Amino acid sequence: MNHHLTIKSDLFIGGEWRPGQSGDRFDVVDPADGTVVAQFAIATEGDCLDAVAAADAAASDWAATAPRERGEILRTAFEILTTERDQLAEVIVRENGKSWGDAIAEAGYATEFFRWFAEEAVRIPGDYRTSPGGDKNIIVTRRPIGVSLLITPWNFPAAMATRKLAPALAAGCTAILKPASETPLTAAYIVEALRRSGLPAGVVNLVTPVPTGPAVRAMLDHGAIRKLSFTGSTEVGRVLLANAAGSIISSSMELGGNAPLLVLPGADLEEAVSGALAAKMRNGGSACTSANRLYVHRSLHDEFVERFRSALDSFAIGSGLDRGNDIGALVSLKERDKVAALVDTAVAEGATISLGGETPVGAGAFYPPTLLTGVTHGSTITRTEIFGPVATVIEYDEVDEAIRMANDTEFGLIAYVFGPEGDAMRSAARIDAGMVGINRGVISDPAAPFGGVKQSGLGREGGTDGILEYLEEKYIATSR
Ligand code: NAP
């Protein structure tokens, strides 16, 4: 780590950085070369319960602060992280492995959640009306839901943390953040930025338990937690929903995706190729929003494949610290090997490798940009979230058929449609997804509601309703 970066590698509980009760630590590894970047404190179950107690103790005072005061702390965090954007990006690169461009984009996106929710903190809506019978006044206010447990994945270690922390804190909730074990340093950097912004002790806490499951379960069973917000795999989400049932905890889930991308007849090929490259290759393909399946109409297929292939071929792959590289490392050798195995299975199931497909030798978790053509809808790779720089192209004849294939999944996070705007709008309306991008490959924005349908999740993050996930309505009746 550069000398100018002092990165915290301890737990943050009740306003103090401290090692875990056991004194044990785990390695945070740079996936680009396998070196150990830091040794992070392991939280015991006791540490995790201390964090819940600290958040609980701070809850009523924080809920009672003026919305403007909460907003201004978030605004300060926005300003600190904007000034330190390069440093935050560097931490992301070192523990996650992504390219510099992806890390800088994430740092900016992550920071924007603090600005957006600084602005939302002072706009919490309520309602006042006369009952239809005329006998009473119906007054509806909103209060913070309470202590919130926020669990995040490694693929966007900064943005997934701020997308939860910012609305929780803006709403007046206290929080415990549990980052992925691959990427705790980015979470610690953000928590420290909040401390430096003047957030009172106990309002945000950071824990990194090993093993994860039992400690999270103990926190959910503690009784003080009223909200669980999770981003990660559908598999773990299912377990957490079951665990949250014990104490009837309100749960928001941002889970897996299997995004289809449709290129309709008449699409502008240049727009479709550059949009598909962004939708597929952003974050090295390690995104829940990544275009997993490219359905291209027969009339455009060959030229689309040729242009896509030659663009991919020009991508530079290597360490994210070298700012010229387009694609960084995957988060770990384990993830890289999963991607490689998926490509091998696709080939065994009849796909053709048009580019890439060979695992490089060396210590880094690299996998080359890869293009598979002749992929059959329904084959393993079209049913699995790839989470790597591998594009699969499926040729189709009829738009109805493409839409049927797009919807043929238990997921429904996002879809992309490229084509003449009217046609694309009509197709977008027929796709079962929480979000659709038309003639563009990147759509995430703190001001827009992010979330999925079907097994991609429950609830929305960001947008004008994002804060509502952390608020509960309270109805007060008065006589007229
Ligand atoms: P993951 O294995 O589900 O892990 C996510 C988080 O859950 C990590 O903090 C992990 O902690 C924790 N966890 C794992 N097992 C747990 C358990 N039994 N109890 C409590 N917590 C547990 O997912 P991932 O591989 O890191 O992330 C990739 C997945 O996230 C993909 O499916 C992707 O689509 C999804 N994702 C979704 C969105 C969205 O908004 N829909 C956004 C980004 C990513 P440890 O690291 O300590 O195991």
Side-chain angles (χ1 to χ4, degrees), residues 171-182:
C173 296
T174 59
I176 300 119
L177 175 63
K178 207 306 285 172
S181 47
E182 290 88 348

Side-chain angles (χ1 to χ4, degrees), residues 207-474:
V207 292
T208 45
V210 180
T212 308
V216 167
R217 178 99 210 230
M219 288 193 277
L220 291 172
D221 288 342
H222 173 286
I225 292 186
R226 298 314 315 145
K227 179 79 199 182
L228 168 64
S229 179
F230 171 74
T231 297
S233 60
T234 299
E235 196 186 351
V236 172
R238 208 173 272 125
V239 171
L240 288 174
L241 275 174
N243 291 346
S247 301
I248 316 290
I249 295 169
S250 161
S251 302
S252 301
M253 297 274 142
E254 296 288 355
L255 307 175
N258 182 2
L261 183 150
L262 271 53
V263 179
L264 302 179
D268 177 328
L269 259 188
E270 205 170 307
E271 202 167 58
V273 170
S274 68
L277 280 171
K280 176 64 243 183
M281 293 295 159
R282 187 173 74 102
N283 221 43
S286 294
C288 52
T289 51
S290 186
N292 219 46
R293 305 171 278 150
L294 313 186
Y295 296 97
V296 183
H297 188 258
R298 189 170 298 281
S299 60
L300 300 172
H301 175 271
D302 293 355
E303 195 170 348
F304 177 90
V305 165
E306 187 37 45
R307 290 200 200 184
F308 194 86
R309 200 193 69 80
S310 86
L312 271 194
D313 205 17
S314 69
F315 275 33
I317 175 165
S319 165
L321 293 177
D322 174 349
R323 301 188 181 190
N325 288 326
D326 303 298
I327 302 257
L330 278 89
V331 74
S332 63
L333 290 170
K334 190 172 137 233
E335 278 298 310
R336 192 272 307 273
D337 293 345
K338 258 166 56 181
V339 172
L342 208 47
V343 170
D344 293 347
T345 305
V347 171
E349 291 178 3
T352 303
I353 295 182
S354 164
L355 184 75
E358 268 185 42
T359 305
V361 286
F366 294 101
Y367 195 79
T370 296
L371 177 61
L372 297 175
T373 54
V375 175
T376 311
H377 172 78
S379 61
T380 306
I381 200 161
T382 66
R383 288 184 281 106
T384 315
E385 198 172 17
I386 303 170
F387 244 60
V390 178
T392 64
V393 178
I394 300 143
E395 196 170 349
Y396 74 87
D397 287 309
E398 301 293 333
V399 173
D400 282 352
E401 171 69 354
I403 290 172
R404 188 196 64 74
M405 293 189 287
N407 286 336
D408 181 24
T409 165
E410 70 269 29
F411 297 107
L413 185 64
I414 187 169
Y416 304 88
V417 184
F418 290 84
E421 199 144 309
D423 296 347
M425 281 295 282
R426 277 185 290 279
S427 295
R430 296 171 61 196
I431 294 177
D432 300 328
M435 305 177 281
V436 183
I438 292 186
N439 293 327
R440 55 177 301 136
V442 178
I443 73 168
S444 296
D445 193 304
F450 187 103
V453 301
K454 302 201 276 185
Q455 292 189 31
S456 286
L458 301 170
R460 293 293 180 270
E461 294 189 306
T464 44
D465 288 350
I467 198 167
L468 299 183
E469 305 265 330
Y470 296 91
L471 292 162
E472 261 175 342
E473 287 187 333
K474 182 174 205 174

Side-chain angles (χ1 to χ4, degrees), residues 5-29:
L5 290 177
T6 342
I7 306 297
K8 302 287 181 191
S9 53
D10 280 324
L11 315 177
F12 189 65
I13 298 173
E16 311 244 320
W17 289 101
R18 65 174 221 205
Q21 286 160 2
S22 67
D24 293 338
R25 294 184 171 268
F26 62 95
D27 290 345
V28 181
V29 174

